Amino acid sequence: MAEVDLLRSLPATKRNIQKRLDGKDLAVVAVAKQFGEMYWDGPREYGYGGYSYDGRWRSVARDIIEHFDLKAGQKVLDVGCGKGFLVKDLMLECPGLEVFGVDISGYALEMAPKELSGRLHLGTAEKLNFQDDSFDCVLSINTIHNLPRDRAKRAIAEVERVCNSNRSFIVVDSYRTQEQQELFESWVLTAEFHDYPEVWIGIFEEAGYSGDWNWTILE
């Protein structure tokens, strides 16, 4: 296992943390946690504030392909694929790579690019509907923290189960300082579990995870 920054090329996300905090209440959080239209394409206080394909994941896809030495014919799974933009860009960057996704949001899957038909599946990270060792590489970016601790641990174990090697990569919400934690808690809508990196690493070890990881940290 190693900490690796495979998202370094993503453009910085614009966040008005004070505005999010001012607009956040239990009703807003409840709607966001449905992961429906409001979360993806509604007002910013409910989630993304509109999430459409713009190619920003292509550079990330290139870094993932290089880091894991992925080749045409190999199989990749994106757990928490959303609208499937990383799935699309991985296939664009490595023609012949067989990439699939799973997400809990029926709305996101309906809004996915049409060329991904048959590749994206409705499901939960804690019970992946795939056989052991089905994939050469498994990714889960900013998804597993949306489960409570025990279920997050099961989801991490599922990533390990369906991956036939240690070529996996998980990104979860975290923070290194109290100030970062306060920023995160002002912004967060959907995370059910979050903690410092050393706690997450302990959970990875409990789950038997052998892949790479990184953190989403607000600064």
Side-chain angles (χ1 to χ4, degrees), residues 132-169:
D132 296 358
D133 302 324
S134 297
F135 297 92
D136 301 289
C137 178
V138 181
L139 314 167
S140 185
I141 298 173
N142 294 330
T143 294
I144 288 175
H145 52 236
N146 291 325
L147 297 168
R149 186 193 188 283
D150 287 348
R151 294 169 61 192
K153 178 181 169 181
R154 288 201 295 272
I156 294 165
E158 281 290 272
V159 169
E160 184 73 16
R161 180 184 67 79
V162 301
C163 190
N164 63 22
S165 67
N166 63 353
R167 290 189 290 188
S168 51
F169 180 57

Side-chain angles (χ1 to χ4, degrees), residues 9-10 53-65 85-86 88-94:
S9 63
L10 271 182
Y53 181 79
D54 60 7
R56 70 177 55 204
W57 288 96
R58 289 198 68 163
S59 58
V60 174
R62 287 193 294 270
D63 288 341
I64 289 171
I65 290 164
F85 299 155
L86 179 57
K88 173 177 177 173
D89 285 351
L90 284 165
M91 292 192 297
L92 287 174
E93 290 297 326
C94 184

Side-chain angles (χ1 to χ4, degrees), residues 62-79:
R62 287 193 294 270
D63 288 341
I64 289 171
I65 290 164
E66 179 180 3
H67 179 72
F68 291 118
D69 193 27
L70 298 176
K71 308 293 185 185
Q74 292 183 316
K75 294 177 65 178
V76 179
L77 178 66
D78 183 7
V79 179

Side-chain angles (χ1 to χ4, degrees), residues 2-216:
E3 181 175 324
V4 180
D5 187 4
L6 297 179
L7 305 186
R8 57 187 176 271
S9 63
L10 271 182
T13 300
K14 295 180 180 179
R15 293 183 173 96
N16 186 330
I17 292 178
Q18 187 60 51
K19 185 176 180 180
R20 167 67 65 84
L21 179 61
D22 291 342
K24 185 166 63 171
D25 60 27
L26 292 177
V28 168
V29 170
V31 171
K33 287 183 176 181
Q34 295 173 15
F35 300 105
E37 182 176 4
M38 290 292 282
Y39 174 75
W40 295 99
D41 294 319
R44 183 63 162 148
E45 60 262 34
Y46 288 92
Y48 280 95
Y51 189 60
S52 57
Y53 181 79
D54 60 7
R56 70 177 55 204
W57 288 96
R58 289 198 68 163
S59 58
V60 174
R62 287 193 294 270
D63 288 341
I64 289 171
I65 290 164
E66 179 180 3
H67 179 72
F68 291 118
D69 193 27
L70 298 176
K71 308 293 185 185
Q74 292 183 316
K75 294 177 65 178
V76 179
L77 178 66
D78 183 7
V79 179
C81 64
K83 294 184 180 182
F85 299 155
L86 179 57
V87 172
K88 173 177 177 173
D89 285 351
L90 284 165
M91 292 192 297
L92 287 174
E93 290 297 326
C94 184
L97 191 65
E98 295 292 332
V99 191
F100 302 86
V102 61
D103 201 276
I104 201 170
S105 171
Y107 173 82
L109 300 182
E110 289 175 4
M111 296 296 108
K114 300 303 180 186
E115 61 267 31
L116 300 183
S117 178
R119 293 187 175 274
L120 307 184
H121 304 274
L122 186 66
T124 174
E126 63 186 307
K127 191 175 182 181
L128 298 173
N129 192 25
F130 303 102
Q131 293 185 355
D132 296 358
D133 302 324
S134 297
F135 297 92
D136 301 289
C137 178
V138 181
L139 314 167
S140 185
I141 298 173
N142 294 330
T143 294
I144 288 175
H145 52 236
N146 291 325
L147 297 168
R149 186 193 188 283
D150 287 348
R151 294 169 61 192
K153 178 181 169 181
R154 288 201 295 272
I156 294 165
E158 281 290 272
V159 169
E160 184 73 16
R161 180 184 67 79
V162 301
C163 190
N164 63 22
S165 67
N166 63 353
R167 290 189 290 188
S168 51
F169 180 57
I170 291 174
V171 181
V172 288
D173 285 336
S174 191
Y175 29 78
R176 292 189 172 92
T177 67
Q178 184 177 350
E179 181 181 43
Q180 290 173 346
Q181 181 178 0
E182 290 171 355
L183 279 175
F184 168 77
E185 290 177 347
S186 296
W187 180 259
V188 66
L189 291 173
T190 60
E192 291 283 341
F193 179 79
H194 48 87
D195 215 314
Y196 287 84
E198 56 267 27
V199 176
W200 274 114
I201 291 171
I203 296 172
F204 292 153
E205 292 173 349
E206 290 176 24
Y209 180 63
S210 64
D212 298 330
W213 70 83
N214 212 309
W215 325 112
T216 295

